[in-house]
Amino acid sequence: MTIALEMRNITKEFPGVKALNNVTIQVKQGEVHALCGENGAGKSTLMKVLSGLYPSGTYEGQILINGVERHFHKIKEAEEAGIAIIYQELALAKDLSIGENLFLGKEPAKFGIINWEQVYKESEKWLHEVGLNASPELPTGSLGIGKQQQVEIAKALSKNANILILDEPTAALTEQEVEILLGILQEFKKRGVTCIYISHKLNEVFAIADSITVLRDGMTVGTFATPDITEDQVISLMVGRELKERFPRVESNPGEVVLKVTNYTVMNPDIPGKKVVDDISFEVRKGEIFGIAGLMGAGRTELVMSLFGSYSGARTGSVEIEGKPVKINNTRQAIREGLALVSEDRKKYGLVLGMDIKSNVTMASLKSISAGGVINHNQEIASGNEYIQSLKIKANSVETITGTLSGGNQQKVVLGKWLMTAPKILILDEPTRGIDVGAKFEIYGIMNELIRQGVSIIMVSSELPELLGMSHRIMVIAEGKRMAEFKAEEATQELIMTAATGGSDK
Ligand SMILES: Nc1ncnc2c1ncn2[C@@H]1O[C@H](COP(=O)(O)OP(=O)(O)OP(=O)(O)O)[C@@H](O)[C@H]1O
Ligand SMILES: [Mg+2]
């Protein structure tokens, strides 16, 4: 057994943060090696050190590839050593064609003229490798996220990667796309490609990884052969304590109807005549968690965004809040009516990454911390601190720039921002995507506290265990239509999946 990669005593500091503290990891040739750890544990940072994004000299410790110490001063040098990384946030240029993305920076050229024919021919070969049937001339942005992910992998391969790093590759993928991705990785493994796999989804980790390294607070906890360890053990190593129950659902005593949606239909703004939400009716009561299940593309996000006034498609039907008909046309009105939406896409709708934590947290509640139009800065800081504590956001201070937080901690800032608006109805769209198990548990605890206070929660989630574990009622939609509704006690994964794939008329 050869060691393809060894990172020895890696220490990496940012101003005020020791992101990595003496981390050591050994990865065997041809294995899939998973990296697990809570949000902010240092997983992405370790991989950025390896990929040359953080150049040699900006960290301490050694990197050995096939036993030889290497110093990468830039990404290109790591690539030449066979290391390719697919970052947590996809980095493709959406306006460029697939082929252009694949060959960005290394287009085959003669006398400075790019040979496009060759670019596209070569691209086809790589797309075929990853099982993607798409013309390389298509704009990359026209592909769904799962396919963009495949383009990323094709791109990594076209650089002749021996070590392929995937940082949270499946956070935004459908079940089916995840299957395809795992299949591709199995295929690479057969060919001897070494893979480092970062994911918060432990079922995937256990399905694909040969060994698992756990990081906690920037330190290595240990490396284990997958057959020698259980999911529960990995969880307790990650969070540093036993986590007995994954979903702390509490009984609810639902009160009066807070939200009543009747015959709600939403049109696709781009395709005339196409409905994304089709004649949906439902009610949500005070103090309950109402789950919405469905496959990706079923119209769940469009439904909640439209209710929140942030979806441009025309709609018909009626919405009542506390018995009063409302017409919500924009986010400001939505907030005024007591709605809050924690969006699945934090970059697009939730956060200003260049601003600090306190500004992001207070952004939707400026009125409550201002007097005479002037923001009270002490109160802004106090509010920021309040959410750093209650949500356990891993950050130095309220002045930390949100973009420097780890992915999961950014998601907690979005949550803080909307909690601060003190909503009557809190809509959570994939609230725990990219969030570690410990933090998920904390978020569930917060949800329970909110319903105890009489808030109503609508939760859209693709993670069925979470939906089943936390909701009191679950509505299933498919192709924009309401397919079924289940009480918590009667719902099962099978019933929901059958309804979501159009198989039930309950
Ligand atoms: N550019 C940066 N500047 C300052 N601090 C940073 C920077 N990048 C990362 N950090 C900090 O280093 C720590 C480790 O972050 P990292 O992104 O590696 O975590 P992670 O394990 O990938 O978490 P997640 O699961 O949320 O993606 C965090 O405390 C983070 O805030
Ligand atoms: Mg990360």
Side-chain angles (χ1 to χ4, degrees):
M1 148 208 96
T2 4
I3 301 297
L5 163 73
E6 183 172 356
M7 298 180 80
R8 267 190 212 156
N9 306 110
I10 304 287
T11 295
K12 168 79 186 162
E13 283 181 65
F14 297 106
V17 190
K18 204 171 219 173
L20 298 173
N21 187 357
N22 243 335
V23 170
T24 291
I25 177 174
Q26 283 190 339
V27 180
K28 289 178 209 150
Q29 172 67 44
E31 73 168 346
V32 176
H33 194 115
L35 209 50
C36 293
E38 291 187 292
N39 298 129
K43 306 177 297 291
S44 297
T45 305
L46 188 66
M47 292 302 106
K48 287 174 183 169
V49 164
L50 176 59
S51 69
L53 185 80
Y54 297 140
S56 175
T58 65
Y59 58 87
E60 288 159 42
Q62 295 168 293
I63 298 177
L64 291 87
I65 310 286
N66 297 322
V68 182
E69 185 172 0
R70 305 294 307 258
H71 300 274
F72 302 130
H73 299 95
K74 43 185 171 199
I75 296 175
K76 200 146 182 96
E77 292 177 11
E79 281 178 1
E80 280 159 9
I83 295 166
I85 179 164
I86 297 174
Y87 293 105
Q88 197 161 3
E89 317 279 350
L90 286 183
L92 294 170
K94 293 203 166 70
D95 301 331
L96 298 185
S97 73
I98 298 173
E100 283 171 296
N101 263 302
L102 283 178
F103 282 87
L104 205 60
K106 57 175 168 63
E107 299 90 348
K110 207 171 176 184
F111 309 118
I113 299 168
I114 296 172
N115 181 344
W116 286 111
E117 208 178 318
Q118 198 185 336
V119 165
Y120 288 133
K121 218 170 85 206
E122 283 269 311
S123 300
E124 255 167 26
K125 190 181 100 195
W126 292 113
L127 294 178
H128 183 77
E129 288 276 303
V130 298
L132 181 61
N133 251 330
S135 159
E137 294 175 51
L138 279 178
T140 310
S142 70
L143 300 176
I145 301 218
K147 291 189 171 153
Q148 289 189 29
Q149 189 73 258
Q150 283 170 285
V151 174
E152 283 271 18
I153 297 176
K155 181 171 177 171
L157 289 180
S158 73
K159 294 171 184 160
N160 290 318
N162 308 319
I163 300 177
L164 180 65
I165 304 161
L166 296 125
D167 193 350
E168 288 274 348
T170 62
L173 300 193
T174 63
E175 298 268 313
Q176 213 182 2
E177 289 168 333
V178 171
E179 288 298 311
I180 294 173
L181 177 75
L182 296 185
I184 294 171
L185 295 185
Q186 298 282 13
E187 196 50 46
F188 289 165
K189 196 170 132 178
K190 284 191 202 138
R191 291 190 225 160
V193 176
T194 306
C195 178
I196 300 177
Y197 194 82
I198 300 178
S199 177
H200 288 293
K201 298 189 189 163
L202 292 180
N203 55 340
E204 281 169 16
V205 166
F206 276 80
I208 187 99
D210 301 293
S211 28
I212 301 173
T213 291
V214 179
L215 295 184
R216 185 166 76 231
D217 288 334
M219 289 186 268
T220 328
V221 176
T223 298
F224 309 87
T226 311
D228 297 346
I229 193 167
T230 64
E231 268 192 47
D232 282 343
Q233 285 171 318
V234 170
I235 292 172
S236 38
L237 291 172
M238 278 167 60
V239 301
R241 66 188 149 88
E242 196 93 27
L243 201 66
K244 285 232 168 53
E245 167 202 32
R246 300 267 282 272
F247 304 105
R249 181 174 51 213
V250 292
E251 287 315 309
S252 88
N253 266 324
E256 70 272 23
V257 173
V258 177
L259 175 73
K260 185 171 158 78
V261 176
T262 315
N263 302 120
Y264 200 68
T265 295
V266 183
M267 304 308 291
N268 183 317
D270 302 318
I271 309 170
K274 177 134 174 49
K275 295 171 181 167
V276 286
V277 173
D278 193 351
D279 199 26
I280 282 187
S281 303
F282 64 95
E283 292 177 352
V284 182
R285 292 175 177 273
K286 195 174 159 88
E288 72 169 343
I289 300 178
F290 181 74
I292 302 182
L295 301 178
M296 209 142 314
R300 298 168 303 170
T301 293
E302 290 80 358
L303 171 64
V304 293
M305 280 180 67
S306 175
L307 291 173
F308 194 64
S310 60
Y311 188 77
S312 60
R315 60 231 153 114
T316 54
S318 69
V319 179
E320 286 175 22
I321 292 179
E322 293 179 329
K324 182 183 77 152
V326 291
K327 191 114 187 94
I328 293 169
N329 294 315
N330 54 50
T331 312
R332 200 173 330 141
Q333 280 175 357
I335 295 172
R336 207 182 313 130
E337 297 293 350
L339 293 182
L341 171 67
V342 175
S343 141
E344 58 171 348
D345 188 344
R346 56 179 169 260
K347 264 217 279 200
K348 211 151 139 204
Y349 306 106
L351 289 179
V352 182
L353 293 180
M355 286 182 3
D356 62 14
I357 296 175
K358 66 173 172 7
S359 317
N360 271 296
V361 165
T362 53
M363 192 169 9
S365 319
L366 287 180
K367 248 201 200 133
S368 70
I369 57 161
S370 309
V374 182
I375 298 175
N376 178 334
H377 286 287
N378 288 334
Q379 223 174 329
E380 194 184 19
I381 292 169
S383 305
N385 273 323
E386 189 187 322
Y387 288 100
I388 285 183
Q389 275 166 23
S390 65
L391 301 177
K392 301 204 174 72
I393 296 172
K394 197 171 177 232
N396 260 353
S397 83
V398 286
E399 257 128 47
T400 302
I401 298 300
T402 312
T404 69
L405 297 179
S406 78
N409 282 297
Q410 289 180 18
Q411 185 69 358
K412 292 190 200 171
V413 177
V414 189
L415 190 60
K417 164 179 158 182
W418 290 109
L419 288 180
M420 193 172 161
T421 65
K424 282 193 277 230
I425 303 167
L426 175 66
I427 307 173
L428 303 169
D429 192 357
E430 305 286 1
T432 64
R433 177 176 287 175
I435 299 228
D436 70 62
V437 274
K440 274 183 185 160
F441 192 77
E442 284 153 24
I443 289 178
Y444 301 147
I446 293 164
M447 288 166 65
N448 285 339
E449 175 59 24
L450 290 170
I451 58 166
R452 210 185 49 78
Q453 293 167 8
V455 174
S456 307
I457 297 181
I458 299 177
M459 174 165 69
V460 174
S461 174
S462 298
E463 277 189 53
L464 284 184
E466 160 177 291
L467 211 53
L468 286 163
M470 291 304 296
S471 319
H472 299 107
R473 281 188 298 138
I474 300 172
M475 170 172 79
V476 186
I477 64 179
E479 292 179 22
K481 295 191 184 69
R482 180 178 187 281
M483 303 303 286
E485 188 180 306
F486 301 102
K487 291 202 193 80
E489 316 81 80
E490 59 181 25
T492 62
Q493 296 221 14
E494 291 71 33
L495 282 171
I496 290 179
M497 279 320 286
T498 312
T501 48
S504 162
D505 54 5
K506 191 182 160 184

